[in-house]
Amino acid sequence: MGKPKKRTRGTEQEAAEEAEQAAADIGKGKSARVEEPSKEPDEGSDSDSEDYDVSTDDAGSSDEEEDSEDSQEEEEDKEEIDVDFDFFDPKPEDFHGVRALLNTYLDDKAFPGLSDFVDTIIEQTTVGTIVRTSESESAVGLITALNLHEKRNLGCIKEISAYLLEKCPADTKDKLSQALSGRKTALMINERLVNCPPQLANPLTTALFDEIAWATEDEPTQERRDEFEFDQYLVFTRAFRDPLVGEGGGAAASASGANKKSKQPKKEKQKAAAPDESALVFTRPEDEIFHQLSAWSFVYNAERSQNASGNELKPVRIVYLLDAKKVPEGRKRIKALVDV
Amino acid sequence: MAVRLQFENSNDIGVFCNVTNKYIVTAFGGSENFYSVFEAECADHMPIVKTSVAGTTLVGRMTVGNKNGLLMPNSATDQELMHVRNSLPDEVVVQRVDERLSALGNCIACNDYVALIHPDLDRETEEIIADVLGVEVFRQTVAGNVLVGSYCSFTNQGGLVHPHTSIEDLDELSSLLQVPLVAGTVNRGSEVISAGMAANDWIAFCGLDTTATELQVIESVFKLRDAQPTQIVNEMRHSLIDAMM
């Protein structure tokens, strides 16, 4: 809306008016910009599925572009830049990038098996996607799923399991240990740099679940095919807690989904100890949606949360279990979010 | 000998410590694991100082030093400067440098005799380096990269440089520094040599991810095999006596 005006106006007289117009147009301009990105991912996701059908090896690339209106950029404080995100299968060169992303996987706890963990993720080329921007050579995002039972003897998986059990509140411990020892449980690893746009949610989850589905059909041996027959996904991810949302809002305005009944008795016990779940702020839309559909979950303050002072969002870690049957519903909701 | 360790899950040892022949400066760590490795290896021979620089843990990349002195950036606070000065022996001159390129550890690589510096460093800084550290200073690049302090690490015995350094560059640098140089990596293929390791004449510290091959290369070029602090004096005895005569 602001763009065509700027291009046609050239006279000095109108330049002053233009500046005023631009200021007034910021409101209109912004709403225009919000609409446009939603159109992009539609095309993006179409080409996505095409790419995945065609290519079985690396470079299933898809473009996710943030809309930018260059002419208005200088006038406003916010700068928007075009970024292309490419999706690749994990490769050995990604080791350092992935390691950097997973450095704080166990918060501040020493994680000596981290390098092995990264190796395990990278070796699994059939299921797993790494996101890179065209400029940087290192990974900005990662999504993958590891079969916990298959990998249970690895030192790194034992460390992760031990850590989760340690952080788990007493009433969820049984459910967690059941999940950890389940034969068809997947550990879903989903990490990105903090300021990655939310539009990445749809292609990444599509990529993951499609690859899992293909793996169950395409893998050469029956053992490998079975490895990817998951019936539940254990997700260990990051979120924030808004300290301004009081604990009073818990019982009444709690999250939707089948978990409501089971969560309430837990909530009363946990109010003193753990963060209230209704005050959670998710930076990644797929986490929010899957959490709503989860069977159970628990939250604890991330080690550094004491540093966030006053009204800042406090970082928390959240663990939830997602039943595989709920995944299609989740995917539908994620797609719907983006298409708005 | 070469030792592997980590600082709070990070393999970039050289970022958090500065290792010389006379002293070691390390960062405050959450756990004592990092510090205790240095203590176990070196506490008998030299002081190990824990400090922050400009409130950060990036001690290795912000400071540079050798047996003669230690240079700290202008962002270092007075308390930090005082603390380090008090903890180090008197022969070691601790000086704060007013330099735009404040990550001194990234811009300067030195041993006890020679220093390589970033080509854009101030003339004044160059003089301070020559004065305080007692070294001959050369403005150089390593593998076309101006951050000489990051991409090469050398001691009085030998040095390791960025893996993409050409043979001609290697020869040139080697003749400037008068030590054997090898192009290699550390921490499983990381090209930022100085971030991944810290070494002096008889011991090297590397990140946990450093492969056995990389460790062998480091031990051989830095001449660390069977190296003990006293052996250096024995080796040099011939040249010492020659000089007097």
Side-chain angles (χ1 to χ4, degrees):
Chain A
M1 292 169 113
K3 244 188 191 166
K5 278 187 193 161
K6 279 194 194 312
R7 282 184 188 143
T8 52
R9 286 185 181 190
T11 64
E12 280 179 53
Q13 205 176 16
E14 291 166 331
E17 275 180 70
E18 194 185 89
E20 275 179 26
Q21 273 284 13
D25 270 348
I26 284 172
K28 294 185 218 163
K30 272 191 187 170
S31 56
R33 223 178 291 126
V34 163
E35 278 168 45
E36 287 189 277
S38 61
K39 289 182 201 154
E40 293 281 356
D42 256 346
E43 297 161 13
S45 59
D46 281 341
S47 64
D48 241 1
S49 43
E50 275 173 44
D51 279 348
Y52 284 107
D53 282 337
V54 170
S55 63
T56 47
D57 56 356
D58 48 37
S61 78
S62 152
D63 288 349
E64 286 289 339
E65 291 185 354
E66 274 190 57
D67 202 37
S68 90
E69 299 202 332
D70 297 322
S71 50
Q72 283 188 341
E73 268 184 280
E74 286 84 23
E75 309 261 339
E76 301 181 28
D77 296 331
K78 255 206 279 189
E79 234 189 76
E80 280 204 353
I81 45 174
D82 275 335
V83 187
D84 289 342
F85 289 97
D86 296 326
F87 300 79
F88 297 98
D89 283 341
K91 294 196 216 67
E93 297 88 67
D94 291 321
F95 177 82
H96 290 287
V98 173
R99 195 185 193 287
L101 282 173
L102 293 175
N103 215 3
T104 47
Y105 199 58
L106 296 189
D107 297 321
D108 283 354
K109 181 159 176 191
F111 188 8
L114 179 57
S115 300
D116 286 335
F117 189 48
V118 177
D119 277 334
T120 313
I121 292 173
I122 288 182
E123 276 158 12
Q124 193 176 279
T125 50
T126 42
V127 170
T129 304
I130 297 214
V131 188
R132 286 196 218 147
T133 61
S134 38
E135 298 98 46
S136 83
E137 286 188 1
S138 72
V140 297
L142 157 78
I143 192 168
T144 188
L146 296 178
N147 186 319
L148 275 177
H149 184 79
E150 274 297 310
K151 314 260 181 236
R152 67 190 182 284
N153 290 325
L154 289 178
C156 48
I157 299 294
K158 286 189 190 158
E159 281 165 33
I160 295 173
S161 307
Y163 179 75
L164 290 178
L165 282 168
E166 187 191 313
K167 291 291 181 180
C168 180
D171 41 10
T172 337
K173 265 210 172 69
D174 286 333
K175 299 199 194 111
L176 179 62
S177 23
Q178 223 176 29
L180 286 171
S181 51
R183 299 205 80 236
K184 294 189 175 179
T185 312
L187 176 69
M188 182 158 94
I189 301 155
N190 182 11
E191 298 285 336
R192 322 208 245 285
L193 287 189
V194 180
N195 39 15
C196 282
Q199 288 93 330
L200 282 179
N202 191 25
L204 276 181
T205 44
T206 309
L208 180 70
F209 292 112
D210 280 348
E211 283 190 320
I212 291 174
W214 294 329
T216 54
E217 294 157 23
D218 295 339
E219 284 289 338
T221 64
Q222 183 62 31
E223 194 191 324
R224 292 277 293 174
R225 281 195 286 273
D226 288 341
E227 188 177 335
F228 293 107
E229 288 273 2
F230 297 128
D231 62 3
Q232 47 191 6
Y233 296 89
L234 188 66
V235 186
F236 175 36
T237 185
R238 299 165 207 273
F240 291 92
R241 179 174 67 89
D242 187 353
L244 293 177
V245 176
E247 284 135 34
S254 52
S256 61
N259 52 357
K260 194 170 173 178
K261 284 181 206 161
S262 53
K263 263 173 52 172
Q264 271 183 348
K266 265 204 304 183
K267 259 205 194 123
E268 277 139 28
K269 275 192 218 172
Q270 280 182 352
K271 257 183 197 172
D276 191 345
E277 295 202 2
S278 66
L280 287 177
V281 176
F282 290 92
T283 48
R284 295 187 286 242
E286 72 271 22
D287 276 336
E288 185 159 11
I289 289 170
F290 286 141
H291 178 243
Q292 284 168 358
L293 295 169
S294 61
W296 54 260
S297 67
F298 67 87
V299 180
Y300 63 91
N301 284 328
E303 304 262 341
R304 296 253 161 86
S305 70
Q306 295 86 304
N307 294 344
S309 56
N311 294 334
E312 280 174 28
L313 293 178
K314 296 190 177 10
V316 293
R317 298 304 299 273
I318 176 167
V319 179
Y320 60 86
L321 188 78
L322 180 68
D323 199 300
K325 300 193 202 72
K326 298 275 173 78
V327 166
E329 168 70 26
R331 287 174 69 176
K332 216 169 52 172
R333 288 193 199 176
I334 293 174
K335 198 162 193 303
L337 249 193
V338 154
D339 287 354
V340 150
Chain B
M1 83 158 136
V3 178
R4 285 194 186 101
L5 70 162
Q6 272 191 334
F7 179 84
E8 287 177 1
N9 275 341
S10 167
N11 288 315
D12 292 320
I13 302 305
V15 174
F16 305 103
C17 70
N18 200 336
V19 175
T20 70
N21 287 324
K22 266 280 178 64
Y23 58 85
I24 292 180
V25 185
T26 72
F28 288 112
S31 70
E32 285 299 298
N33 291 342
F34 189 65
Y35 181 75
S36 62
V37 174
F38 291 110
E39 250 194 323
E41 300 294 338
C42 309
D44 311 332
H45 314 293
M46 49 202 197
I48 304 174
V49 185
K50 270 205 264 191
T51 183
S52 60
V53 173
T56 70
T57 48
L58 311 171
V59 173
R61 301 294 87 215
M62 299 296 280
T63 65
V64 67
N66 62 12
K67 70 170 169 46
N68 300 318
L70 178 71
L71 296 177
M72 301 191 73
N74 52 8
S75 44
T77 65
D78 291 334
Q79 292 97 313
E80 289 162 355
L81 205 59
M82 276 292 109
H83 170 61
V84 172
R85 219 174 245 152
N86 290 338
S87 317
L88 292 182
D90 292 332
E91 314 88 70
V92 179
V93 179
V94 180
Q95 173 116 346
R96 183 153 53 189
V97 176
D98 211 356
E99 164 63 56
R100 181 181 65 92
L101 301 171
S102 56
L104 299 176
N106 285 337
C107 298
I108 305 163
C110 70
N111 63 11
D112 294 333
Y113 307 103
V114 193
L116 293 181
I117 67 170
H118 189 297
D120 295 338
L121 237 53
D122 290 344
R123 199 138 300 272
E124 211 179 287
T125 310
E126 189 181 334
E127 283 169 14
I128 295 177
I129 296 171
D131 199 27
V132 171
L133 300 183
V135 293
E136 213 180 326
V137 182
F138 297 104
R139 284 174 192 265
Q140 267 287 349
T141 61
V142 171
N145 210 298
V146 290
L147 293 176
V148 288
S150 305
Y151 291 103
C152 86
S153 170
F154 61 95
T155 67
N156 300 330
Q157 305 290 316
L160 190 65
V161 296
H162 188 286
H164 296 155
T165 314
S166 62
I167 306 280
E168 298 84 44
D169 276 353
L170 262 183
D171 286 338
E172 192 188 334
L173 284 171
S174 196
S175 65
L176 268 181
L177 304 177
Q178 292 294 301
V179 293
L181 292 179
V182 136
T185 64
V186 76
N187 275 339
R188 199 169 154 163
S190 170
E191 299 173 342
V192 193
I193 308 294
S194 282
M197 63 167 281
N200 68 14
D201 287 346
W202 42 278
I203 191 168
F205 300 94
C206 308
L208 220 59
D209 269 347
T210 310
T211 64
T213 317
E214 290 168 340
L215 220 58
Q216 278 209 335
V217 170
I218 288 170
E219 280 190 346
S220 102
V221 79
F222 285 103
K223 303 206 178 65
L224 300 174
R225 299 217 180 94
D226 310 316
Q228 292 296 313
T230 47
Q231 271 197 343
I232 306 298
V233 179
N234 291 335
E235 272 178 28
M236 285 170 65
R237 202 169 287 283
H238 290 298
S239 38
L240 287 175
I241 291 173
D242 278 339
M244 278 163 67
M245 284 163 58

